[in-house]
Amino acid sequence: MDISKIENIAKIIRKDSFQMLQRKGGGHFGGAFSCAEILSVLYGHIMNDDDKFILSKAHAGVALYSILSQCSVIDNDVLNTYGDDDSTLGVHGESHFVPGVEFSCGSLGHGLSFACGLALGKKKKNESGNIYVLLGDGECQEGSVWEAALFASQHKLSNLTAFVDYNKKQSSGLVKHVLDIEPLLMKWESFGWVTFEVDGHNVNEINSAIQQTDKSEVNPTMIIAHTIKGKGVGFLEDKEACHYDRLSDEQAKIAWEEIS
């Protein structure tokens, strides 16, 4: 793996996301920035044409749009339409408008179930390829996530790898204050998943965990990625609530300098 290449992809994700959100007048800077390295490793090194990715934490749609443009799945010029009334790029990606968006995830808690269906379909048809899905940590408070977790284990979906973007914050505050999900690793293990914990901003650790998923012949894999919401922008990293932000001109200038 070319580490500098993958890290640069993540840098571009943050820059593209910033420009789209700032042009629109605000948005989910924090959640887009926290998952940049996960997306960069998947799209820049791991995934091939037989694989599919589901962004269950769809409020980070701008991050997905960026990586899709870098992979030439969508035209880079389309990113400049984000926020326009007639743009195909919504806050949450819509599969019937945007190539590369496999499933329209707006309401949280549905992406893993859909990913299970894709993985099961591949198993039954004896098709190659893996399914990858990215969940938010606050999203793991949804009961439908745990139903899907049981389903994946029951049906031995070894071709399914899920990530939790564990940035510890959600729309109304800290996850532990809203509805604590710890011990998260033990929960997924108890549901029959092979589990890993990684630094979600360390591309080597992310890649290593994904590569080790091949060691499991029957179990789905969960990679809990410890991340920082608003990663790369100091004043966002330090905020307890940075789920949806509008930046002043001065804040925008500071943020751009920090991520550039």
Side-chain angles (χ1 to χ4, degrees), residues 2-73:
D2 186 336
I3 295 174
S4 61
K5 172 191 171 184
I6 301 303
E7 290 178 339
N8 189 60
I9 291 173
K11 183 176 182 179
I12 295 172
I13 289 174
R14 291 192 175 92
K15 292 173 71 174
D16 284 347
S17 297
F18 173 88
Q19 290 177 315
M20 282 185 274
L21 294 173
Q22 191 62 15
R23 181 178 182 274
K24 182 178 179 292
H28 299 95
F29 294 93
F33 289 3
S34 64
C35 66
E37 282 78 14
I38 298 170
L39 294 179
S40 67
V41 172
L42 283 173
Y43 280 88
H45 181 63
I46 296 293
M47 291 174 58
N48 58 47
D49 291 341
D50 293 329
D51 300 329
K52 293 187 182 298
F53 172 78
I54 309 300
L55 181 65
S56 194
K57 49 163 283 178
H59 50 278
V62 288
L64 180 57
Y65 300 151
S66 172
I67 195 65
L68 290 177
S69 73
Q70 292 185 64
C71 295
S72 300
V73 177

XYZ file of all heavy atoms in Angstrom, residues 2-73:
550
model
N 0.550 2.181 -0.867
C 1.253 3.465 -0.920
C 0.628 4.386 0.125
O -0.420 5.003 -0.105
C 1.116 4.056 -2.326
C 1.946 5.319 -2.514
O 2.244 5.984 -1.508
O 2.262 5.643 -3.671
N 1.277 4.480 1.286
C 0.701 5.214 2.412
C 0.480 6.681 2.065
O -0.579 7.254 2.367
C 1.605 5.087 3.654
C 1.650 3.621 4.115
C 1.094 5.970 4.790
C 2.620 3.377 5.248
N 1.463 7.309 1.429
C 1.336 8.734 1.112
C 0.182 8.983 0.150
O -0.540 9.987 0.275
C 2.642 9.270 0.525
O 2.980 8.592 -0.673
N -0.028 8.056 -0.789
C -1.150 8.178 -1.721
C -2.484 8.100 -0.988
O -3.384 8.913 -1.223
C -1.069 7.080 -2.781
C -2.297 7.008 -3.687
C -2.282 5.744 -4.525
C -3.599 5.561 -5.266
N -3.644 4.283 -6.024
N -2.605 7.123 -0.099
C -3.863 6.930 0.638
C -4.130 8.114 1.564
O -5.268 8.586 1.681
C -3.830 5.613 1.431
C -3.603 4.422 0.494
C -5.122 5.427 2.214
C -4.614 4.296 -0.611
N -3.097 8.598 2.229
C -3.264 9.759 3.104
C -3.637 10.998 2.305
O -4.411 11.842 2.786
C -1.981 9.987 3.904
C -1.737 8.920 4.953
C -0.448 9.106 5.726
O 0.463 9.810 5.219
O -0.330 8.544 6.832
N -3.117 11.120 1.102
C -3.473 12.267 0.264
C -4.922 12.189 -0.202
O -5.606 13.214 -0.309
C -2.554 12.338 -0.955
C -2.743 13.628 -1.746
O -2.553 14.722 -1.214
N -3.113 13.509 -3.004
N -5.409 10.974 -0.462
C -6.822 10.807 -0.806
C -7.706 11.313 0.326
O -8.705 12.008 0.103
C -7.123 9.327 -1.126
C -6.450 8.907 -2.425
C -8.633 9.085 -1.210
C -6.551 7.426 -2.726
N -7.334 10.963 1.569
C -8.101 11.427 2.733
C -8.058 12.948 2.843
O -9.055 13.595 3.195
C -7.548 10.790 4.006
N -6.913 13.521 2.534
C -6.779 14.982 2.569
C -7.703 15.638 1.552
O -8.374 16.633 1.851
C -5.331 15.375 2.290
C -5.049 16.860 2.367
C -3.560 17.149 2.182
C -3.264 18.645 2.314
N -1.803 18.924 2.164
N -7.777 15.051 0.367
C -8.666 15.590 -0.663
C -10.124 15.442 -0.250
O -10.950 16.328 -0.503
C -8.403 14.889 -2.012
C -7.000 15.219 -2.510
C -9.439 15.316 -3.057
C -6.577 14.418 -3.732
N -10.459 14.326 0.406
C -11.828 14.148 0.905
C -12.205 15.298 1.825
O -13.306 15.873 1.715
C -11.972 12.799 1.637
C -11.928 11.632 0.647
C -13.289 12.749 2.433
C -11.915 10.264 1.298
N -11.315 15.655 2.739
C -11.615 16.751 3.673
C -11.737 18.087 2.943
O -12.625 18.879 3.232
C -10.555 16.827 4.766
C -10.603 15.643 5.724
C -9.743 15.855 6.975
N -9.926 14.734 7.886
C -9.154 13.637 7.905
N -8.117 13.548 7.076
N -9.409 12.653 8.745
N -10.857 18.326 1.984
C -10.900 19.596 1.247
C -12.165 19.693 0.397
O -12.842 20.731 0.380
C -9.643 19.739 0.397
C -8.371 19.928 1.214
C -7.115 19.901 0.357
C -6.990 21.137 -0.495
N -5.689 21.170 -1.208
N -12.486 18.600 -0.328
C -13.706 18.604 -1.133
C -14.945 18.767 -0.253
O -15.860 19.542 -0.584
C -13.837 17.292 -1.913
C -12.914 17.211 -3.118
O -12.350 18.243 -3.516
O -12.770 16.096 -3.664
N -14.969 18.039 0.857
C -16.116 18.113 1.765
C -16.277 19.523 2.310
O -17.396 20.062 2.365
C -15.938 17.122 2.924
O -15.900 15.797 2.458
N -15.169 20.124 2.709
C -15.200 21.492 3.222
C -15.777 22.442 2.182
O -16.667 23.255 2.486
C -13.799 21.936 3.620
C -13.714 23.394 4.000
C -13.946 23.796 5.306
C -13.432 24.368 3.043
C -13.894 25.133 5.656
C -13.380 25.701 3.383
C -13.603 26.087 4.691
N -15.282 22.361 0.952
C -15.732 23.294 -0.077
C -17.209 23.121 -0.384
O -17.935 24.114 -0.561
C -14.887 23.103 -1.336
C -13.452 23.583 -1.163
C -12.597 23.325 -2.392
O -12.635 22.236 -2.981
N -11.820 24.310 -2.790
N -17.677 21.872 -0.435
C -19.097 21.654 -0.693
C -19.964 22.197 0.435
O -20.954 22.897 0.200
C -19.361 20.148 -0.883
C -18.966 19.621 -2.237
S -19.419 17.864 -2.473
C -17.995 17.057 -1.757
N -19.578 21.900 1.665
C -20.398 22.313 2.805
C -20.354 23.808 3.019
O -21.382 24.435 3.340
C -19.926 21.578 4.069
C -20.133 20.067 4.054
C -19.474 19.424 5.266
C -21.612 19.713 4.004
N -19.190 24.410 2.844
C -19.084 25.850 3.027
C -19.853 26.595 1.943
O -20.488 27.616 2.214
C -17.613 26.276 3.043
C -17.376 27.710 3.490
C -17.833 27.979 4.911
O -18.075 27.068 5.692
N -17.980 29.256 5.257
N -19.815 26.070 0.742
C -20.575 26.679 -0.349
C -22.073 26.622 -0.064
O -22.811 27.563 -0.373
C -20.262 25.937 -1.655
C -20.974 26.489 -2.888
C -20.554 25.713 -4.135
N -21.179 26.254 -5.322
C -22.387 25.903 -5.760
N -23.076 24.998 -5.087
N -22.895 26.439 -6.858
N -22.520 25.542 0.525
C -23.934 25.370 0.857
C -24.353 26.243 2.033
O -25.523 26.569 2.198
C -24.212 23.893 1.173
C -25.662 23.553 1.503
C -25.807 22.063 1.746
C -27.249 21.695 2.095
N -27.644 22.235 3.411
N -23.384 26.580 2.887
C -23.711 27.396 4.057
C -23.685 26.622 5.356
O -24.130 27.119 6.390
N -23.152 25.407 5.326
C -23.047 24.610 6.549
C -23.346 23.155 6.291
O -23.781 22.779 5.193
N -23.096 22.332 7.305
C -23.381 20.916 7.163
C -22.566 20.053 8.094
O -22.076 20.516 9.131
N -22.394 18.815 7.707
C -21.784 17.812 8.576
C -20.273 17.725 8.363
O -19.749 16.710 7.892
C -22.443 16.457 8.339
C -23.913 16.444 8.637
N -24.865 16.646 7.679
C -24.583 16.257 9.807
C -26.069 16.580 8.223
N -25.931 16.360 9.517
N -19.588 18.797 8.729
C -18.130 18.798 8.640
C -17.540 17.676 9.501
O -16.670 16.924 9.054
C -17.561 20.140 9.128
C -17.905 21.324 8.276
C -19.014 22.112 8.564
C -17.102 21.676 7.201
C -19.326 23.223 7.795
C -17.399 22.792 6.418
C -18.524 23.564 6.714
N -18.003 17.596 10.744
C -17.404 16.680 11.712
C -17.441 15.240 11.280
O -16.417 14.546 11.286
N -18.601 14.752 10.884
C -18.757 13.357 10.502
C -18.121 13.017 9.174
O -17.729 11.868 8.947
N -18.002 14.005 8.279
C -17.316 13.776 7.006
C -15.813 13.670 7.235
O -15.135 12.821 6.647
C -17.634 14.897 6.018
N -15.285 14.536 8.089
C -13.844 14.537 8.346
C -13.403 13.291 9.117
O -12.292 12.801 8.927
C -13.448 15.783 9.134
C -13.506 17.064 8.342
C -13.948 17.083 7.032
C -13.126 18.263 8.914
C -14.004 18.266 6.300
C -13.172 19.453 8.196
C -13.618 19.457 6.890
N -14.269 12.770 9.981
C -13.849 11.646 10.828
C -13.697 10.342 10.051
O -12.958 9.454 10.472
C -14.827 11.455 11.997
O -16.119 11.090 11.542
N -14.370 10.205 8.921
C -14.327 8.924 8.198
C -13.439 8.965 6.959
O -13.427 8.013 6.169
C -15.738 8.486 7.817
S -16.583 9.542 6.612
N -12.675 10.029 6.782
C -11.908 10.204 5.546
C -10.910 9.078 5.303
O -10.780 8.569 4.178
C -11.187 11.558 5.571
N -10.181 8.670 6.337
C -9.178 7.622 6.148
C -9.802 6.253 5.863
O -9.243 5.451 5.106
C -8.244 7.527 7.360
C -7.173 8.591 7.417
C -7.660 9.944 7.899
O -8.783 10.008 8.460
O -6.937 10.942 7.720
N -10.950 5.991 6.470
C -11.635 4.721 6.207
C -12.002 4.627 4.726
O -11.749 3.616 4.059
C -12.896 4.579 7.083
C -12.517 4.576 8.565
C -13.660 3.301 6.720
C -13.706 4.676 9.498
N -12.575 5.694 4.197
C -12.955 5.711 2.789
C -11.734 5.653 1.881
O -11.753 4.985 0.841
C -13.783 6.961 2.477
C -15.152 7.062 3.144
C -15.833 8.368 2.738
C -16.024 5.880 2.782
N -10.674 6.353 2.267
C -9.488 6.383 1.409
C -8.840 5.006 1.300
O -8.378 4.613 0.219
C -8.478 7.419 1.914
O -7.919 7.047 3.155
N -8.801 4.254 2.399
C -8.228 2.910 2.348
C -9.111 1.980 1.511
O -8.615 1.225 0.659
C -8.041 2.328 3.767
C -7.622 0.862 3.692
C -6.996 3.127 4.537
N -10.416 2.041 1.735
C -11.325 1.161 0.996
C -11.263 1.426 -0.502
O -11.060 0.504 -1.307
C -12.757 1.339 1.499
C -13.108 0.670 2.824
C -14.507 1.074 3.274
C -13.012 -0.858 2.710
N -11.448 2.673 -0.893
C -11.525 2.996 -2.312
C -10.150 3.121 -2.970
O -10.010 2.874 -4.166
C -12.309 4.291 -2.514
C -13.800 4.113 -2.448
C -14.468 4.182 -1.235
C -14.558 3.886 -3.598
C -15.845 4.012 -1.153
C -15.930 3.721 -3.533
C -16.573 3.792 -2.318
O -17.932 3.624 -2.251
N -9.154 3.494 -2.188
C -7.838 3.696 -2.762
C -6.965 2.462 -2.787
O -5.953 2.429 -3.494
N -7.366 1.412 -2.030
C -6.477 0.257 -1.936
C -7.194 -1.089 -1.908
O -6.681 -2.060 -2.466
C -5.618 0.378 -0.678
C -4.638 -0.737 -0.487
N -3.600 -0.984 -1.368
C -4.540 -1.694 0.482
C -2.899 -2.022 -0.948
N -3.445 -2.483 0.159
N -8.351 -1.161 -1.277
C -8.978 -2.462 -1.004
C -9.981 -2.893 -2.057
O -9.907 -4.003 -2.600
C -9.670 -2.446 0.381
C -8.640 -2.258 1.498
C -10.486 -3.712 0.581
C -7.691 -3.422 1.681
N -10.931 -2.051 -2.372
C -12.092 -2.480 -3.148
C -11.780 -2.667 -4.628
O -10.960 -1.954 -5.202
C -13.241 -1.480 -2.978
C -13.842 -1.475 -1.576
S -15.076 -0.170 -1.328
C -16.259 -0.567 -2.603
N -12.478 -3.656 -5.213
C -12.406 -3.858 -6.659
C -13.819 -3.844 -7.234
O -14.786 -3.556 -6.522
C -11.673 -5.165 -6.991
C -12.335 -6.380 -6.352
O -13.551 -6.546 -6.429
N -11.534 -7.245 -5.727
N -13.949 -4.163 -8.500
C -15.245 -4.030 -9.170
C -16.315 -4.978 -8.632
O -17.513 -4.739 -8.838
C -15.080 -4.272 -10.676
C -14.298 -3.160 -11.353
O -14.200 -2.072 -10.776
O -13.759 -3.386 -12.460
N -15.900 -6.053 -7.968
C -16.876 -7.007 -7.426
C -17.383 -6.603 -6.044
O -18.325 -7.217 -5.519
C -16.257 -8.404 -7.329
C -15.949 -8.998 -8.689
O -16.684 -8.680 -9.639
O -14.977 -9.772 -8.800
N -16.753 -5.601 -5.431
C -17.115 -5.174 -4.084
C -18.131 -4.040 -4.121
O -18.237 -3.304 -5.112
C -15.868 -4.693 -3.331
C -14.809 -5.770 -3.198
O -15.177 -6.958 -3.121
O -13.609 -5.417 -3.176
N -18.854 -3.895 -3.012
C -19.805 -2.790 -2.884
C -19.656 -2.144 -1.507
O -19.337 -2.823 -0.523
C -21.246 -3.268 -3.090
C -21.534 -3.728 -4.521
C -22.993 -4.032 -4.730
C -23.254 -4.529 -6.151
N -22.914 -3.496 -7.152
N -19.912 -0.840 -1.467
C -19.817 -0.082 -0.223
C -21.140 0.611 0.063
O -21.740 1.214 -0.826
C -18.704 0.965 -0.312
C -18.679 1.906 0.858
C -18.135 1.505 2.073
C -19.209 3.187 0.756
C -18.118 2.358 3.172
C -19.196 4.057 1.845
C -18.649 3.634 3.053
N -21.568 0.544 1.331
C -22.792 1.196 1.778
C -22.434 2.222 2.852
O -21.845 1.870 3.881
C -23.799 0.189 2.378
C -24.030 -0.988 1.434
C -25.113 0.893 2.727
C -24.584 -0.619 0.102
N -22.784 3.468 2.622
C -22.575 4.515 3.629
C -23.847 4.629 4.463
O -24.774 5.352 4.125
C -22.246 5.853 2.973
C -21.976 7.014 3.934
C -20.717 6.765 4.764
C -21.858 8.326 3.176
N -23.880 3.888 5.567
C -25.073 3.905 6.399
C -25.206 5.232 7.145
O -26.305 5.737 7.330
C -25.048 2.729 7.382
O -26.314 2.537 7.972
N -24.062 5.792 7.583
C -24.095 7.120 8.216
C -24.093 8.170 7.100
O -23.105 8.846 6.833
C -22.929 7.314 9.179
C -21.552 6.965 8.683
C -20.450 7.567 9.553
C -20.229 9.031 9.293
N -19.232 9.685 10.116
N -25.249 8.257 6.449
C -25.345 8.979 5.183
C -25.200 10.481 5.308
O -25.050 11.179 4.294
C -26.676 8.654 4.513
N -25.221 11.018 6.534
C -25.019 12.455 6.688
C -23.600 12.871 6.294
O -23.328 14.048 6.114
C -25.322 12.898 8.125
C -24.644 12.081 9.175
N -25.137 10.871 9.612
C -23.509 12.294 9.870
C -24.335 10.372 10.532
N -23.330 11.213 10.703
N -22.695 11.880 6.121
C -21.340 12.162 5.626
C -21.287 12.017 4.107
O -20.243 11.670 3.545
C -20.332 11.234 6.292
N -22.391 12.295 3.453
C -22.487 12.119 2.008
C -21.421 12.845 1.218
O -20.943 12.342 0.198
N -21.022 14.026 1.664
C -20.022 14.782 0.905
C -18.694 14.030 0.834
O -17.968 14.123 -0.163
C -19.800 16.192 1.499
C -21.000 17.084 1.214
C -19.494 16.138 2.988
N -18.359 13.288 1.887
C -17.127 12.501 1.875
C -17.204 11.406 0.812
O -16.231 11.152 0.088
C -16.870 11.883 3.251
N -18.364 10.774 0.688
C -18.547 9.744 -0.335
C -18.505 10.362 -1.729
O -17.889 9.795 -2.647
C -19.872 9.016 -0.122
C -20.194 7.899 -1.125
C -19.098 6.834 -1.147
C -21.542 7.264 -0.800
N -19.134 11.529 -1.914
C -19.098 12.192 -3.213
C -17.658 12.494 -3.623
O -17.289 12.333 -4.787
C -19.896 13.491 -3.183
C -21.354 13.342 -2.839
C -22.051 14.377 -2.209
C -22.062 12.179 -3.141
C -23.385 14.256 -1.883
C -23.401 12.047 -2.823
C -24.061 13.097 -2.187
O -25.387 12.979 -1.864
N -16.861 12.914 -2.678
C -15.468 13.230 -2.977
C -14.715 12.007 -3.476
O -14.029 12.055 -4.510
C -14.761 13.798 -1.736
O -13.363 13.933 -1.981
N -14.840 10.893 -2.756
C -14.084 9.706 -3.156
C -14.625 9.133 -4.465
O -13.858 8.608 -5.285
C -14.069 8.639 -2.038
C -12.996 7.566 -2.305
C -15.425 7.994 -1.863
C -11.595 8.078 -2.275
N -15.920 9.252 -4.705
C -16.473 8.798 -5.981
C -15.943 9.636 -7.134
O -15.688 9.115 -8.232
C -18.002 8.851 -5.951
C -18.700 7.831 -5.047
C -20.211 8.052 -5.049
C -18.369 6.399 -5.465
N -15.747 10.926 -6.895
C -15.179 11.775 -7.945
C -13.709 11.449 -8.166
O -13.227 11.449 -9.305
C -15.354 13.258 -7.605
O -14.485 13.666 -6.560
N -12.993 11.153 -7.095
C -11.587 10.787 -7.239
C -11.413 9.475 -7.996
O -10.394 9.257 -8.650
C -10.924 10.685 -5.865
C -10.788 12.016 -5.139
C -10.028 11.877 -3.839
O -8.849 11.528 -3.830
N -10.692 12.158 -2.718
N -12.420 8.607 -7.892
C -12.390 7.331 -8.621
C -13.039 7.442 -9.999
O -13.222 6.422 -10.686
C -13.114 6.256 -7.810
S -12.310 5.842 -6.255
N -13.423 8.664 -10.387
C -14.040 8.938 -11.687
C -15.389 8.243 -11.872
O -15.815 7.980 -13.003
C -13.091 8.538 -12.832
O -11.883 9.271 -12.745
N -16.055 7.946 -10.761
C -17.409 7.390 -10.835
C -18.413 8.503 -11.123
O -19.403 8.306 -11.835
C -17.767 6.648 -9.527
C -19.201 6.134 -9.569
C -16.789 5.507 -9.282
